[in-house]
Amino acid sequence: MVLNRRSGARPAHEAADLIERLTREAGRACRVHAVRRGAHVPAVARAAVEEARRLGGILVAAGGDGTLNAVAQEAYRESLPFAALPQGTFNYFGREHRLSLELEQALASLLKARPRAVQVGEVNGRLFLVNASVGLYPRVLEEREAATREHGRHRWVALWSGIRTVLRERRRLALRVELDGEPRLLEAATIFVGNNRLQLDRLGVAQAEALDHGQLVALWVRPLDPVSTLGLLWKGATGQLEQARAVESFGFRELEVESLSGATRPRWLKVAIDGEVLWLRTPLRFRPAPRPLWLMAEPPGA
């Protein structure tokens, strides 16, 4: 198990002790790798996956969506079963798959869990469990992380920092987009690709049902002035995003995005993947991953 010390309501040493005690009482072996910084999670997960393969075990992530993503990457690469103990701020992945947000209850469910195939998204070979995006949204996430380091990880901090970023942001993207083989040129404030029915439903995106048919869902947001963008955020917060004229949504199986800004190619774009921001080389190719992630989840009615 890879445990992010910065996630969850209880101190990390208490969480680790509780996990080890409850698994031991259930007759299971569990090795907890506690990580102090999110940037260290991928390296620790790579070491943990080797241990899990050698012992015939599973790989477990305890933390927010970013931690879950980093650990799931390694489990997926090695075709190992993956389990999640959601401990983050929004926990869209955990809530989508009905994983308890209470540590004791989540552990009790995990001890009865069986592997279940779930769809994950992919952009240039990187998995995403919940969403991936370019444009304004990655910058909102960067500002949010800076704000939470100063003021703590609270939802009101995330909201306040998001509004501040929207009011200051003026940049827009000139893009070439190819949707299932059809090219298109457009300007966008952001392109958001979702793989989480709960999140899309809460935003009010009618195309969310495309996820049930092996597709991903994209939102293209046209450039707006700051005041109009605040109105757009309000529509998203109240589940009315589909009604906004500045937003277009569609389901897809293949989406390619390339920046047309600047004189040099290929370019790199900032991409937010499950709340973590990184640079990827264009063109960006979004698609459902070619095989499922095997998620450990309690069978219905258990």
Side-chain angles (χ1 to χ4, degrees), residues 35-266:
V35 184
R36 293 184 180 276
R37 296 181 59 189
H40 297 160
V41 170
V44 174
R46 282 192 289 273
V49 79
E50 291 300 324
E51 190 174 6
R53 285 185 62 190
R54 179 169 51 83
L55 297 174
I58 66 172
L59 198 59
V60 185
D65 284 334
T67 299
L68 269 53
N69 176 290
V71 178
Q73 297 271 351
E74 300 304 322
Y76 183 87
R77 186 175 292 117
E78 299 295 332
S79 299
L80 270 179
F82 167 75
L85 303 180
Q87 300 286 295
T89 305
F90 295 99
N91 298 308
Y92 279 117
F93 181 79
R95 288 187 288 158
E96 167 76 8
H97 296 287
R98 299 185 179 181
L99 306 177
S100 176
L101 306 184
E102 298 296 328
L103 187 56
E104 293 92 334
Q105 187 175 339
L107 277 168
S109 296
L110 178 56
L111 292 169
K112 297 181 286 185
R114 296 291 182 270
R116 183 178 76 207
V118 300
Q119 174 177 288
V120 289
E122 184 180 88
V123 52
N124 290 18
R126 299 268 315 193
L127 294 189
F128 56 94
L129 306 179
V130 179
N131 60 57
S133 62
V134 296
L136 177 61
Y137 192 62
R139 292 191 285 278
V140 168
L141 291 178
E142 287 182 318
E143 292 290 333
R144 187 183 77 185
E145 284 305 302
T148 55
R149 284 194 295 270
E150 183 176 353
H151 302 289
R153 200 165 288 273
H154 306 286
R155 292 188 182 219
W156 68 265
V157 173
L159 178 62
W160 166 75
S161 66
I163 292 173
R164 186 177 65 175
T165 305
V166 165
L167 290 175
R168 293 188 310 187
E169 189 57 47
R170 297 290 187 274
R171 286 173 288 183
R172 58 186 61 190
L173 295 171
L175 302 171
R176 183 190 68 80
V177 172
E178 188 170 296
L179 172 61
D180 294 330
E182 293 295 325
R184 183 175 180 184
L185 301 181
L186 55 85
E187 274 196 328
T190 195
I191 291 181
F192 177 96
V193 178
N195 183 53
N196 186 276
R197 180 69 182 260
L198 174 65
Q199 186 180 44
L200 293 171
D201 281 343
R202 292 199 171 183
L203 289 171
V205 178
Q207 293 286 342
E209 63 183 18
L211 298 178
D212 300 332
H213 304 288
Q215 296 183 315
L216 299 174
V217 176
L219 302 178
W220 162 41
V221 182
R222 297 176 179 86
L224 296 169
D225 62 82
V227 174
S228 298
T229 304
L230 285 177
L232 189 66
L233 289 177
W234 174 254
K235 286 185 180 294
T238 56
Q240 305 174 69
L241 198 61
E242 195 73 21
Q243 301 174 21
R245 288 181 294 178
V247 177
E248 180 180 335
S249 66
F250 47 87
F252 70 90
R253 296 187 187 277
E254 297 280 346
L255 176 66
E256 183 174 294
V257 176
E258 184 172 9
S259 173
L260 299 179
S261 303
T264 59
R265 291 192 190 183

